[in-house]
Amino acid sequence: LRAQSWDLLNARLQSFGDAKPSLSEHAHSPSNDEATRLWFDPERPAQKILIVGDSHAKDMYNMLSQNLDALPGIEVARFGMAVEIKPDHLQALQTAPNFAAADTVLVSFRYRRFAMDDLPRLLDLLADSGKHVVLTSRAPEFEADSPFTTVDLALRRDGKLDRDAIETAAWATRTVTPDHPINQRVAEYAKAYGFALLDKEPLLCDRAAERCTMVTPDGRKVHFDYGHYTMHGAALIGQRIADMNWLAPLDDAQTGL
């Protein structure tokens, strides 16, 4: 499931005859495709959204790209980058055709405590770019014991799929929430730079019901580890993005629409 979550991006590489990078390289650095090719249609009057980040930018790309019919008026591309914000990645971003063409940059990382002081290097560049910039929170995370997810552990323990029990337990055992210190730092950066901030938790978890979606309606796992999305999970969350109008803060971007 982890390897399958890269299928959409790998299909682009294969169409150009590019070698497929390792999963770690794919997660934490830009591919040649991301750094040198224009994915957006310059003739289409759509909001062009460049998703910048690590494997969680890949998840966001999978969510949006699988639901473009429900999200009319946008195009999406992804630029891989390590959370440590390396100088060569910043240089590659500045020269990337997708960055030049993007109306909006959507930042999506699994932010890490050791790298939070590095983030302004990217934010300074984005602030100076004149583009509309939106930060996203670190996604909800859950107890897992690799290679087993929350769902796997429940099945091994109970011998059956009890969706209600799994999803209410998931809410109670979240390890990353909107109040997590890292998410508080992200919110502080958003306020300091005047960037919009999108909270990922409501896409997965219902605060009123105190439960988090762990299984799709047709019984497939939403995650393949502590918090990365399967292709089926990403498709489900992408539909919620459309249904909830979660991207509304992007409406302020200057586009060709």
Side-chain angles (χ1 to χ4, degrees):
L1 294 177
R2 179 189 182 202
Q4 289 174 5
S5 73
W6 292 96
D7 280 355
L8 291 178
L9 292 170
N10 283 335
R12 282 193 52 89
L13 296 178
Q14 292 167 0
S15 71
F16 291 107
D18 291 353
K20 186 167 67 174
S22 70
L23 294 184
S24 179
E25 290 172 335
H26 226 342
H28 304 295
S29 60
S31 67
N32 178 66
D33 186 33
E34 294 169 346
T36 67
R37 296 191 183 103
L38 179 65
W39 299 15
F40 300 123
D41 180 355
E43 302 301 320
R44 184 183 174 206
Q47 182 177 179
K48 294 167 174 56
I49 303 169
L50 178 61
I51 306 165
V52 174
D54 53 18
S55 53
H56 290 260
K58 172 263 296 178
D59 284 351
M60 184 60 62
Y61 177 81
N62 287 343
M63 293 172 188
L64 299 182
S65 62
Q66 291 187 92
N67 286 278
L68 292 177
D69 288 345
L71 295 162
I74 71 169
E75 293 182 73
V76 293
R78 186 250 185 185
F79 186 93
M81 181 177 288
V83 71
E84 297 93 330
I85 318 298
K86 298 178 179 179
D88 58 326
H89 292 176
L90 291 178
Q91 183 177 6
L93 177 63
Q94 287 180 286
T95 60
N98 284 330
F99 182 66
D103 302 301
T104 297
V105 177
L106 185 67
V107 179
S108 181
F109 281 106
R110 188 192 187 203
Y111 308 99
R112 308 297 295 276
R113 193 182 309 274
F114 67 83
M116 291 306 293
D117 290 340
D118 299 334
L119 192 58
R121 292 204 291 268
L122 171 62
L123 303 184
D124 287 345
L125 184 157
L126 297 179
D128 291 342
S129 72
K131 299 183 183 299
H132 189 58
V133 181
V134 178
L135 306 186
T136 62
S137 68
R138 182 162 154 177
E141 297 183 13
F142 304 90
E143 291 182 349
D145 184 10
S146 182
F148 302 113
T149 67
T150 298
V151 174
D152 297 325
L153 294 173
L155 286 171
R156 287 167 63 88
R157 181 184 65 247
D158 303 330
K160 63 179 180 178
L161 180 63
D162 185 336
R163 187 189 303 265
D164 289 339
I166 290 171
E167 296 190 346
T168 55
W171 169 267
T173 58
R174 292 166 298 154
T175 58
V176 174
T177 69
D179 296 329
H180 191 283
I182 285 180
N183 277 330
Q184 292 179 353
R185 286 286 304 278
V186 175
E188 290 169 1
Y189 279 135
K191 182 178 181 180
Y193 282 86
F195 296 158
L197 175 64
L198 290 172
D199 181 11
K200 292 178 178 176
E201 184 173 271
L203 297 173
L204 185 72
C205 302
D206 183 332
R207 181 172 293 273
E210 296 189 343
R211 62 187 293 159
C212 299
T213 303
M214 295 285 106
V215 182
T216 67
D218 59 349
R220 298 177 184 270
K221 290 190 291 187
V222 167
H223 300 107
F224 60 80
D225 60 9
Y226 65 85
H228 285 104
Y229 289 86
T230 64
M231 292 300 290
H232 292 283
L236 174 65
I237 300 305
Q239 183 61 57
R240 289 184 180 175
I241 286 174
D243 293 344
M244 295 169 59
N245 197 24
W246 188 71
L247 296 178
L250 276 64
D251 292 343
D252 294 333
Q254 298 299 311
T255 74
L257 291 173

